[in-house]
Structures are given as structure tokens and as C-alpha cells.
Amino acid sequence: MPQRHSKNNNDLAFFTYEEKRKLGYGTQKERLGKDSIKPFDACCLCLKPFIDPLCCQKGHVFCKECILECLLAQKKDIQRKLAAHTAQLKQEKEEEEERLMLQKAKELDAFDQQNHGALPQYSDRNYSRDKNGFHGANSVKVTSYEEEALRTMKAFWLPSATPEAPAKVDAPSTSTTCPEGNEKLKLKTLFPVHFTEDTSEQKKAKSLDRTYICPSCKVTLTNTMSLVALSSCGHVFCKKCADRFMVLDKVCLVCNKPCKERSLVNLEKGGTGFAGHGDHLEARDFKHLGSGSGLGLVRPATKT
């Protein structure tokens, strides 16, 4: 009879470590592959190969149509929030004026009662009245008192008397932001980028997909390489050529246009499953034991 190890010992009142691993409890880690990573020649918004690419100062590349639609939608949203904020300020001003008017009318009424006597005068001696001035159940004063008491009563169990918190709209920011990096972005700060396409006969015979090369060293550009774009002219080079030539010569190697060191913009990309370039390429999830049913509750794990 074979020995009973921890992997096949299933008569315990609790789960063993091996059983928990098979059930998927604990912290689960998975390395993201190439299919889960955005390639360098894809738009950050539509995730398709870019058309007329534009780049921001942080290195995020977008299609021209996609980024224009995004900025236009942000401006419309800002206008809608500004209109709501303006309407709220107008309403608050009207409520404040109404409150001041009611307070002034109340002060005038109190002053009038103090000068002309606090108690009302009645010609009929048999008219019944109490000390609060409520004369009959259907009088106007009784009705107004009941309405005021119902309005100020905080009875959360009554639908008509449920207190409501005022929804306030904060003043929105009037500047558009980058959809990828969340920094301030204006249309005039975007610059077009130009990739050098590989037009060799060998590449045409091998594949129909577009491939791009560095115009200096003629190396095929991939996600494993760090890419640099010039904001002055838009040409894209690999990081090695940019550091070796353009930083020293201060001129573009393609169009001979002068450039400065601040014109070098590092393009952002997702990397691959083996070269992350500083990005978090590991999906992590935590699953703990549930109570009673034995099912697990899944929640995102905290980053460490």
C-alpha cells in the first residue's frame, strides 16, 4: 500500500498547502506575453496601427484622428461641467437672496408685533383661543405650523421627509489632459512623427506587414528597443544612434535640421514578455477562502 503524502491526503478537516494551490487560493502571478502588450507602432487609443501619428512630449503616440476626437470630447465635457457649475452658483445666489429676504421679513414682523402688541385683539369675547395663537384645527396658522414641522422633521423612514444631501459640482479644470499619461496636453504641443519604412526587396518578399527601421543603423525597430523621436522634425531613431550622433552633432541625420537635447523624446511602449522597459508586466491576483460555502472571494492584490 503506497504511503499517504500531503498531495493525496484528503481526509483532513482543513485544506493542505497543495490543495490550496490546486484550488487557486493565495496570490496568483502570471507573466504577460506578447499578445497582451501594445506594440510600438500602435495608437494608444484605438490600439491599431497608427495613421498620421502624433506624439506628445511624454512619448505617447496617437492617431491624428483619435487624439483630435479625444481632445474635442474633453473640451465639450469641460463646457458641460462649467455650465453646471455656473448654474449651481446662480442657484446658490438666488437661495441666499431669498433667505435674506425671509430673514428681513421676519425681523419686520417681529418689530411690528413688538410695537402693536404681541396678542391679537378680538371683538368676540366667546372666541376660543389658546396661548400659542392657534385658533381652530383648520386655521392658516395651524396648517403652516404643521408644514414647517414636517419640513424640519428628520424622519428618515418617511419617503416624504427623507433628508437629501445637496449635490455640489466643483469647478472643473479648463485644461485638457493626455489620455495615457494624465498630464496637461494642448494641441500645439503635439508633433508629427515619421518612421522610416523598410523598403528592401527581401523584406517585401517575406511579409506583407509594414516594418520600420532606424534610418541611421538600418536595424529593424521592435518593442525590445528604446526609440527616440525628434520633436523638431519628427524622425524616429533607436536610442543608441540618438545618444551617439544627435546628442553630439545637434543635427538630424535624415534632414540635417538642427535640434537640441531637449528635442529628444523617448517613445513609450509596452515592451514584450521578456523586456519590460520599466513597465509592470506581471498580472497579480489574490484569492482567499470564503466563509461557509468554501468558495473563494477574489480581490486585486496590493502592489508591493
Side-chain angles (χ1 to χ4, degrees), residues 61 87 138 146 185 253 263 297:
V61 184
N138 296 327
E146 291 178 353
L185 179 64
L253 300 178
S263 301
L297 302 176

Side-chain angles (χ1 to χ4, degrees), residues 13 138 226 255:
N138 296 327
S226 297
C255 59

Side-chain angles (χ1 to χ4, degrees), residues 44 63 97 146 182 199 257 304:
C44 292
C63 295
E97 292 178 355
E146 291 178 353
N182 295 327
T199 57
K257 189 175 182 179
T304 57

Side-chain angles (χ1 to χ4, degrees), residues 169-184:
V169 181
D170 297 332
S173 176
T174 57
S175 59
T176 55
T177 58
C178 178
E180 189 71 16
N182 295 327
E183 68 270 359
K184 292 184 179 180

Side-chain angles (χ1 to χ4, degrees), residues 193-212:
V193 291
H194 306 286
F195 286 86
T196 304
E197 189 175 354
D198 189 5
T199 57
S200 60
E201 297 295 335
Q202 296 179 358
K203 187 59 183 176
K204 287 184 178 180
K206 288 182 180 180
S207 175
L208 298 177
D209 298 333
R210 287 186 178 182
T211 56
Y212 302 100

